[in-house]
Amino acid sequence: MSVNYAAGLSTYADKGVCGLPESFDSKEELKGKVEALAQLIRESQYLVVHSGAGISTSSGIPDFRGPKGVWTMEERGESPHFDTTFEEARPSLTHMALLGLQRASYLKYLISQNVDGIHVRSGFPRNLLSELHGNMFVEECGKCGKQYVREKVIGVMGLKPTGKYCEEVRGRGLRSCRGKLISTILDWEEALPEKDLNRAEEASRRADLALTLGTSLQIKPSGDLPLFTKRKGGKVVIVNLQPTKHDKHAHLRINGYVDEVMSQLMELLGLDIPKWDGPTVCESSTPDQKPLPAIAIKKEVKKGVKKEAKREGRKRLGEPKKEEEDEEKIAVKKERAEQTTEEHEKDLQGCTDSNPIPVQTQDQDLSRGGDQNEGANSPTLSL
Ligand SMILES: [Zn+2]
């Protein structure tokens, strides 16, 4: 089953600049620029990639603002063409090259606006990935936050209930959570997922090199994240056929197909592009790879702040403190992570040779708009 993603969103007038002409670097120009990119990556300490719908067009999923994009076609009163369903979409060369870059320890964090779930289904470690606009294959418990990566698209959009209930069991002899599961796909003007956004911001600040692939960078806050890297003294490299909102901030601007760029890049770096053998979900990178310690530290701080705030709130409401519960939640989370891996092992494949895992995901990038909430979590579009 496929879902018409665009039709599932509410109507929204300002979808940004659509259908701008594409331009292409000459063969020689492209080669020189990719060599420069390879050198920047070799020299980088912390590479973060930002992906948009442009990396999934070769998987058969239309982008949004390209010449045949969803919103471009909508402006013309036409329907976009899907060459595949979300379930049948195969990762593109770029998706798999990103997995190769991560495994080679060049790529430290991946931030995607795509909702098609292909990054997850390609086996990219979920703990090194922020999906800022949701995932068509993921539903989340509104009560305990557990996420379920399904093999089929959820079919519900806009953070609405999916009709299913959480089966998480928090302890022996206890009943399952039974919280309502909701879609993770954002509708226009809905706030971005806090955890994913926080991690994306932290990684962007920490990065010394931000590489954007197949995104016009028009959607806020996702499109502005590479600027965090630049403000901290890092470099931004933009690969896109159409002009982007932040071209003037780019250290290197490449006008070429992302698959072509990534293919040349991997060769220059001497890296193989992993083969894809079907949907694979990898919950986390190998245990010895401790992701984003800086983030972990900051999170602790934020958690502390929140805890205080919660306590204050409870005082006012006359409720008891819930410190023990918080501790219990952490324990539950750990347990959940273990369970998830076991469950996944049953029905899917390994995410790395040493780290077997299973599951599936979605992909497709969203665009969002809404100018009122600038500065807040809500995605806004500005040109
Ligand atoms: Zn739950």
Side-chain angles (χ1 to χ4, degrees):
M1 182 187 78
S2 180
V3 161
N4 185 341
Y5 168 65
L9 300 182
S10 53
T11 53
Y12 189 80
D14 184 8
K15 286 168 179 162
V17 178
C18 300
L20 287 176
E22 297 178 334
S23 57
F24 297 83
D25 291 330
S26 70
K27 204 175 162 188
E28 297 70 33
E29 222 176 345
L30 190 73
K31 187 165 172 282
K33 286 182 177 180
V34 179
E35 280 167 2
L37 172 60
Q39 191 54 32
L40 287 171
I41 289 177
R42 281 189 209 102
E43 291 165 3
S44 72
Q45 299 296 312
Y46 202 95
L47 166 66
V48 169
V49 167
H50 303 257
S51 71
I55 74 159
S56 295
T57 51
S58 62
S59 295
I61 296 168
D63 60 22
F64 290 93
R65 300 180 183 80
K68 292 186 177 171
V70 173
W71 307 141
T72 310
M73 300 292 271
E74 186 185 78
E75 276 182 0
R76 293 185 198 142
E78 296 171 38
S79 299
H81 180 68
F82 281 73
D83 290 326
T84 184
T85 62
F86 288 108
E87 286 91 349
E88 286 167 1
R90 297 178 61 87
S92 65
L93 182 148
T94 297
H95 288 104
M96 298 312 293
L98 291 173
L99 182 58
L101 279 178
Q102 185 275 319
R103 288 181 181 172
S105 299
Y106 283 114
L107 175 54
K108 301 298 195 296
Y109 202 77
L110 175 57
I111 300 166
S112 187
Q113 300 168 46
N114 295 348
V115 299
D116 56 25
I118 297 182
H119 283 309
V120 173
R121 290 166 73 86
S122 78
F124 198 94
R126 293 188 73 207
N127 67 326
L128 301 179
L129 168 68
S130 281
E131 295 183 297
L132 295 178
H133 299 164
N135 182 321
M136 300 281 277
F137 291 84
V138 176
E139 52 191 328
E140 182 178 301
C141 175
K143 196 167 154 193
C144 75
K146 180 180 168 73
Q147 290 196 339
Y148 296 83
V149 183
R150 306 298 191 187
E151 289 184 36
K152 292 189 178 300
V153 295
I154 305 303
V156 175
M157 278 164 266
L159 310 184
K160 293 187 183 74
T162 64
K164 290 188 182 155
Y165 293 88
C166 183
E167 290 154 17
E168 179 73 5
V169 178
R170 296 184 166 207
R172 287 205 182 111
L174 294 180
R175 282 166 44 178
S176 60
C177 168
R178 298 295 293 162
K180 274 186 186 176
L181 300 188
I182 53 170
S183 155
T184 57
I185 296 294
L186 300 193
D187 201 344
W188 299 99
E189 299 190 43
E190 275 174 332
L192 272 65
E194 191 183 349
K195 183 179 150 205
D196 284 72
L197 181 59
N198 286 343
R199 289 166 57 113
E201 287 178 352
E202 291 298 332
S204 299
R205 284 195 193 97
R206 187 174 170 186
D208 57 357
L209 182 59
L211 172 62
T212 82
L213 300 171
T215 164
S216 62
L217 303 172
Q218 291 187 53
I219 299 301
K220 283 187 176 189
S222 314
D224 287 347
L225 292 175
L227 302 185
F228 286 33
T229 300
K230 187 168 182 186
R231 274 183 219 128
K232 291 278 179 178
K235 294 188 171 84
V236 177
V237 176
I238 294 177
V239 184
N240 204 50
L241 291 172
Q242 292 175 306
T244 81
K245 192 184 158 200
H246 297 313
D247 281 354
K248 60 181 176 295
H249 295 293
H251 176 77
L252 181 61
R253 179 63 175 87
I254 304 178
N255 292 281
Y257 287 112
V258 286
D259 287 352
E260 179 60 33
V261 170
M262 294 306 285
S263 168
Q264 290 187 25
L265 175 69
M266 294 299 273
E267 198 173 333
L268 287 166
L269 293 174
L271 297 176
D272 288 331
I273 296 172
K275 286 207 179 73
W276 188 68
D277 296 319
T280 300
V281 175
C282 179
E283 287 298 331
S284 65
S285 48
T286 48
D288 51 321
Q289 263 179 296
K290 286 202 172 172
L292 303 175
I295 287 176
I297 291 161
K298 281 223 171 182
K299 268 181 149 182
E300 280 306 311
V301 174
K302 283 185 182 171
K303 255 186 209 164
V305 171
K306 269 188 197 162
K307 238 189 220 176
E308 287 306 320
K310 269 188 190 167
R311 276 182 211 151
E312 285 302 310
R314 287 203 173 95
K315 265 185 206 164
R316 280 200 295 274
L317 294 168
E319 288 177 27
K321 276 207 286 191
K322 291 237 178 163
E323 229 169 313
E324 287 142 30
E325 249 185 48
D326 287 340
E327 276 161 26
E328 190 195 345
K329 270 182 201 162
I330 294 165
V332 168
K333 269 184 193 164
K334 276 187 197 154
E335 197 181 325
R336 190 190 306 152
E338 285 158 18
Q339 281 176 358
T340 308
T341 305
E342 282 167 23
E343 284 162 16
H344 288 176
E345 275 170 8
K346 281 182 207 153
D347 32 272
L348 292 183
Q349 312 158 5
C351 68
T352 68
D353 295 342
S354 58
N355 194 11
I357 302 183
V359 189
Q360 80 288 31
T361 311
Q362 58 134 19
D363 136 308
Q364 168 131 354
D365 158 4
L366 295 201
S367 351
R368 312 134 201 283
D371 294 326
Q372 305 103 308
N373 295 323
E374 197 163 332
N377 274 7
S378 297
T380 56
L381 183 66
S382 87
L383 302 174

